[in-house]
Amino acid sequence: MTGFLELARQRRSVRSFDDNMPEKAILDQLKEFAETITNPYGVKVRFVFLDAKEHKLSSPVLTGEKIYVSAIVGKESHAEEGYGYSFEKLLMKAQELGLGNVWIGGTMPREKFEKASGLAENEVMPCVSPLGAPAKRMSVKETLMRKGVKADTRMSFEELFFEGDFSKPLTERFAKENGLYDDLEAVRIAPSAVNKQPWRIVIDGKKAHFYEKHDKGFLTPDYDLQKIDLGIALYHFESQMLSEMRAPKLSVEDPGINTPDGVDYVATYTF
Ligand SMILES: Cc1cc2nc3c(=O)[nH]c(=O)nc-3n(C[C@H](O)[C@H](O)[C@H](O)COP(=O)(O)O)c2cc1C
């Protein structure tokens, strides 16, 4: 186990915080990092740090949080993939700095957050996250929430990943023999909305084709929440490859592989 995967394994959604404002020096470090974040799509993602008390912000699934970060993107092509990639990059950095966090795309008073973030006409703010030190114990509602979405489990390699096309499930053994285990595992353990794990990957030689398996209820008039999950998956895959000193390159060029119903091509990493 190397590099990014180690950090990804330590990650979990944090919904119970310790009631303290994070240290200013740590927050400043995160804010500085936020300014440097880019994604392979060249989509600009804007981050706004919000004091919960000042803006009277809260979420029904959270306790003890003092600060939020909201992420905003323009309505443009590939906005969701770029958004997922960039916001996950920020949240993984937050975790590295000791700040627990959780993607929140549904359980929040959306208008209040949008107003506090200064959302413009041509922009959307699909998700926000609290930032802070995790509480010593999870709140009862956090424990229930994790049970409800089976947050501690994930689908198997064979269900998520394929060899050549969708007719041949990819095994852990194949992944290990082909030096892809850590990279695929980094995707498998990623966060996703309602833990639906909509990412599917077809490995074809030195290419990893990423697909989205749509579930009902994730499309809004402005964006597809599950495509944001795909952006998160792309970030996890690329980050693990980079920590193995590989040089994955993203392209969007549908290889024309037959897809099951409700499964759409998203992007390819060549490594
Ligand atoms: C795009 C996105 C939106 C999410 N929205 C919410 C939300 O509104 N409320 C919430 O409590 N968790 C939300 N989550 C967190 C997921 O429920 C969580 O990642 C998943 O259950 C797996 O648990 P884990 O992150 O602890 O591994 C969201 C996650 C993602 C990626």
Side-chain angles (χ1 to χ4, degrees):
M1 194 160 80
T2 49
F4 178 81
L5 181 58
E6 224 159 306
L7 186 68
R9 279 201 192 285
Q10 290 157 16
R11 186 209 63 82
R12 67 162 174 91
S13 292
V14 175
R15 299 183 180 87
S16 317
F17 295 89
D18 75 347
D19 273 319
N20 293 318
M21 189 60 131
E23 266 177 49
K24 186 178 177 304
I26 302 276
L27 266 184
D28 284 348
Q29 216 176 313
L30 189 63
K31 286 177 185 171
E32 232 170 81
F33 182 75
E35 294 299 317
T36 68
I37 294 177
T38 56
N39 56 68
Y41 293 93
V43 165
K44 173 81 189 132
V45 181
R46 186 162 76 78
F47 299 105
V48 184
F49 291 78
L50 298 163
D51 185 303
K53 201 169 169 193
E54 183 189 334
H55 295 280
K56 299 192 174 65
L57 297 172
S58 64
S59 155
V61 294
L62 305 178
T63 51
E65 78 283 13
K66 295 287 179 232
I67 194 143
Y68 287 92
V69 58
S70 68
I72 292 159
V73 69
K75 295 177 189 169
E76 54 186 284
S77 66
H78 300 301
E80 293 105 323
E81 302 97 303
Y83 183 89
Y85 181 106
S86 285
F87 200 9
E88 182 66 355
K89 186 164 184 168
L90 183 78
L91 294 181
M92 290 303 289
K93 180 68 177 184
Q95 188 201 313
E96 211 180 324
L97 293 170
L99 298 175
N101 56 74
V102 54
W103 280 83
I104 299 281
T107 55
M108 63 166 140
R110 175 166 289 283
E111 292 85 57
K112 269 192 174 180
F113 275 91
E114 289 180 354
K115 192 162 177 236
S117 307
L119 194 71
E121 187 73 34
N122 59 340
E123 292 180 323
V124 287
M125 184 214 71
C127 297
V128 304
S129 172
L131 296 169
K136 289 215 168 64
R137 295 189 58 181
M138 279 189 205
S139 68
V140 173
K141 58 184 172 181
E142 176 164 25
T143 307
L144 289 175
M145 175 112 202
R146 293 194 68 80
K147 278 207 177 118
V149 298
K150 297 194 173 70
D152 292 315
T153 64
R154 292 293 189 273
M155 288 182 219
S156 66
F157 267 60
E158 288 86 346
E159 289 168 291
L160 296 172
F161 311 133
F162 301 86
E163 238 191 280
D165 63 40
F166 281 95
S167 69
K168 193 167 182 203
L170 184 153
T171 61
E172 290 189 22
R173 184 175 166 174
F174 175 93
K176 281 177 187 153
E177 285 172 359
N178 288 274
L180 286 169
Y181 180 84
D182 287 357
D183 315 284
L184 293 173
E185 179 68 358
V187 172
R188 200 180 72 90
I189 64 175
S192 60
V194 201
N195 201 21
K196 286 287 184 187
Q197 308 155 60
W199 352 271
R200 299 291 177 273
I201 300 178
V202 175
I203 297 292
D204 191 6
K206 294 283 170 207
K207 287 184 188 289
H209 303 298
F210 283 68
Y211 294 81
E212 175 187 349
K213 182 181 184 304
H214 299 274
D215 292 282
K216 285 210 179 83
F218 292 91
L219 271 185
T220 79
D222 288 322
Y223 53 86
D224 169 6
L225 199 61
Q226 289 194 307
K227 198 164 272 177
I228 293 175
D229 292 338
L230 260 294
I232 297 172
L234 293 172
Y235 177 67
H236 277 227
F237 186 84
E238 185 192 281
S239 299
Q240 178 54 29
M241 285 232 147
L242 289 176
S243 52
E244 293 162 7
M245 310 305 285
R246 291 153 100 166
K249 286 279 164 299
L250 192 85
S251 59
V252 181
E253 212 173 319
D254 190 341
I257 294 168
N258 271 342
T259 54
D261 279 355
V263 175
D264 286 327
Y265 172 75
V266 174
T268 298
Y269 269 116
T270 305
F271 51 88

